[in-house]
Amino acid sequence: MTNNELMQEDLKHIFHPCSQMKDYETLPLIPIKKGKGAFIEDFENNVYLDCISSWWVNIFGHSNEYINAKINEQLQDLEHVIFAGFTHKPAIDLAKRLVSLTPEPLQKIFFADNGSSAIEISLKMSFQYFKNKGESRPLFVSLENSYHGETMGALAVSDTGLYKEVYEEILIKSVHAKSPSLVPEDEAIADMRRVLEENKGKVNSVVIEPLIQCAGSMKMYDASYITKLRALCDEFGVFLIADEIAVGFGRTGTLFAIEQANVTPDFLCLSKGITGGYMPLSVVLFTNDIYDAFYCDYSEGKSFLDSHSYTGNTLACAVANAVLDIFENENVIENNQAKIEFIKEQTKRFKDLPNVQEIRQRGMVCAIELKGYAPSERIGLTIFQEALKQGVYIRPLGHVIYFMPPYIFTQEQLKKMIDTTYDIVTKI
């Protein structure tokens, strides 16, 4: 079948995410037949360089031979088993490895199957911790310009009007403090202190995206804010939830972004890169103190009740272990440093363009913010379409172009990504 024939079949039945479906009357929906390494290919043999890791997940590229072998190996034994009352070795191995890779106070793990669910778990657990101790603390604090997912709890602590406004009246209570990505760090910390003081005894946790507010136009801030925030959370006796769903597993230049702040959150939420784009999986790491608040006799009613049919999926855990193998065996974090510097050097030229506002970068994430375009112009859509014609897949956030390539990109592929984008930006 042709691309167009498949597209028509798709549009008869499927509602796609982050899409205004009416757009597909004029914007082609591209059916992808296969992927290999840095590339994806459609049904008419057009090949595209995947510069955003298929929504930030494919950190080791498509159809990775090592991961393929490991998932196939696991498939011969066990594909899935209920995770209540049963367990399996891939989950046990993964839990032990993640605990060993994260700060020492994080000793316990709860499994889920997507990033939003991980956030929901951390929010529920944070609230119930205090309730189990006889306190009612109904408020959550997050940062302006934040994004934590699109299930109801995750949406409630986000600050993305486009996603959130229509549901405002049915969301749980949350308070936003100023973001260090938008205002000076000292001002952001002062505002967080104000929020915690004004709501003293009512806040159970503060949730942040360390270093990069990804869906918030790839706005970035320094690790020193997180260090100061940790101290502030300790002062007011509230939990710190680190949402590393997008920025974990090497995106910011270290395995986890919190490493750069030299702090331990009370909850660490991980997903996306944890399975290299293969399988839905997320985990929440937390402390023994939090775990102990739920450890009780059945009659006490303090258990944490959260379950998903695919919690701790065996194949997903096997894939995650394969991903960690690659990190360990191929010196990924160290090897990425040269790529980080290459991206930095190659994007400097954008500074001289009159329609470029700013270039910002944290590790393997680089953003180029344009200026002079009204939202109605949908300049990001224009750039997306022009890049696609040249075999490069990027997906701007409005007027912000960003690069989040797989770690397997060669220098030549990085250069093609940047050169193509530069050429388009100079002509629009």
Side-chain angles (χ1 to χ4, degrees):
M1 297 181 74
T2 66
N3 283 353
N4 186 62
E5 287 170 336
L6 285 164
M7 179 184 74
Q8 296 307 323
E9 288 298 307
D10 175 289
L11 295 177
K12 288 178 184 178
H13 308 290
I14 299 175
F15 198 141
H16 286 265
C18 286
S19 298
Q20 172 47 259
M21 294 304 294
K22 186 175 173 60
D23 279 349
Y24 294 122
E25 292 178 6
T26 55
L27 176 66
L29 183 68
I30 303 171
I32 297 300
K33 182 179 181 180
K34 60 183 179 180
K36 187 62 182 175
F39 296 95
I40 48 179
E41 182 179 331
D42 67 20
F43 281 77
E44 295 176 358
N45 303 316
N46 298 305
V47 176
Y48 311 99
L49 187 63
D50 186 355
C51 301
I52 64 164
S53 303
S54 286
W55 243 342
W56 320 343
V57 296
N58 267 109
I59 56 177
F60 296 126
H62 298 274
S63 192
N64 182 283
E65 291 183 6
Y66 182 77
I67 299 175
N68 286 356
K70 288 298 182 179
I71 195 172
N72 196 38
E73 180 181 311
Q74 180 59 47
L75 193 57
Q76 308 312 307
D77 292 330
L78 178 65
E79 79 297 337
H80 181 64
V81 66
I82 181 175
F83 211 56
F86 287 95
T87 190
H88 51 78
K89 195 169 185 298
I92 295 167
D93 290 345
L94 178 59
K96 289 169 62 178
R97 295 175 79 177
L98 289 174
V99 166
S100 72
L101 290 168
T102 51
E104 187 174 350
L106 300 173
Q107 291 292 312
K108 294 295 191 289
I109 286 181
F110 200 98
F111 285 93
D113 50 22
N114 64 79
S116 293
S117 293
I119 295 297
E120 297 282 343
I121 288 162
S122 66
L123 298 179
K124 289 170 66 178
M125 200 174 278
S126 179
F127 169 77
Q128 191 180 341
Y129 171 93
F130 289 102
K131 189 164 187 174
N132 283 359
K133 291 181 176 294
E135 294 185 60
S136 178
R137 296 199 185 189
L139 291 182
F140 302 89
V141 178
S142 55
L143 298 178
E144 293 177 353
N145 193 52
S146 61
Y147 174 88
H148 298 286
E150 292 168 47
T151 51
M152 299 302 279
L155 200 59
V157 295
S158 299
D159 183 37
T160 45
L162 181 65
Y163 300 90
K164 181 177 179 178
E165 286 172 358
V166 68
Y167 306 107
E168 195 73 55
E169 62 201 90
I170 60 172
L171 297 177
I172 61 175
K173 300 173 184 178
S174 65
V175 182
H176 298 307
K178 291 181 180 180
S179 171
S181 73
L182 302 176
V183 301
E185 183 178 294
D186 288 345
E187 183 179 343
I189 283 292
D191 194 58
M192 181 64 75
R193 175 176 288 279
R194 175 193 64 79
V195 168
L196 293 176
E197 284 179 344
E198 289 179 359
N199 297 282
K200 197 168 186 178
K202 299 178 183 178
V203 173
N204 62 72
S205 59
V206 176
V207 54
I208 63 166
E209 304 156 273
L211 302 184
I212 309 175
Q213 294 184 303
C214 292
S217 298
M218 295 293 167
K219 295 290 187 180
M220 303 176 184
Y221 62 93
D222 292 334
S224 52
Y225 172 82
I226 304 172
T227 307
K228 294 173 184 176
L229 177 61
R230 173 72 274 182
L232 207 54
C233 288
D234 290 341
E235 179 183 339
F236 284 88
V238 303
F239 291 131
L240 176 61
I241 301 172
D243 173 358
E244 292 221 16
I245 290 159
V247 299
F249 297 98
R251 277 295 171 200
T252 63
T254 49
L255 189 60
F256 302 112
I258 53 168
E259 294 176 32
Q260 298 178 41
N262 197 30
V263 302
T264 302
D266 301 288
F267 296 89
L268 177 62
C269 300
L270 304 172
S271 190
K272 290 192 184 291
I274 194 172
T275 61
Y278 270 70
M279 301 285 291
L281 179 70
S282 63
V283 300
V284 181
L285 290 96
F286 51 98
T287 65
N288 280 329
D289 173 62
I290 294 168
Y291 174 84
D292 289 343
F294 298 90
Y295 199 89
C296 63
D297 290 328
Y298 184 83
S299 59
E300 292 182 58
K302 294 182 179 181
S303 297
F304 181 66
L305 301 177
D306 188 283
S307 60
H308 304 264
S309 300
Y310 287 95
T311 293
N313 175 257
T314 316
L315 293 176
C317 290
V319 169
N321 279 311
V323 165
L324 293 182
D325 288 345
I326 295 173
F327 272 105
E328 290 178 9
N329 298 333
E330 299 184 14
N331 296 318
V332 175
I333 299 299
E334 295 84 353
N335 293 338
N336 276 355
Q337 300 309 312
K339 296 176 184 180
I340 291 167
E341 287 303 313
F342 184 79
I343 293 170
K344 182 178 180 181
E345 288 301 315
Q346 289 293 309
T347 54
K348 282 181 178 179
R349 67 185 110 154
F350 284 86
K351 293 179 182 179
D352 298 326
L353 299 180
N355 55 346
V356 171
Q357 175 73 34
E358 183 183 35
I359 303 165
R360 45 186 180 266
Q361 183 179 354
R362 285 289 185 281
M364 290 290 288
V365 182
C366 181
I368 298 162
E369 184 167 348
L370 304 180
K371 61 181 178 181
Y373 301 98
S376 60
E377 293 183 73
R378 301 187 72 181
I379 192 64
L381 182 59
T382 298
I383 294 166
F384 161 76
Q385 291 175 303
E386 289 301 313
L388 216 57
K389 292 175 185 176
Q390 300 182 49
V392 173
Y393 176 53
I394 56 175
R395 195 174 189 271
L397 294 161
H399 66 292
V400 177
I401 303 166
Y402 71 89
F403 305 130
M404 205 182 279
Y407 305 155
I408 62 162
F409 260 37
T410 64
Q411 191 171 104
E412 181 182 5
Q413 290 164 345
L414 290 172
K415 193 167 190 312
K416 179 176 174 60
M417 172 184 77
I418 297 167
D419 286 349
T420 300
T421 306
Y422 182 81
D423 181 62
I424 293 169
V425 173
T426 60
K427 293 176 180 176
I428 56 176

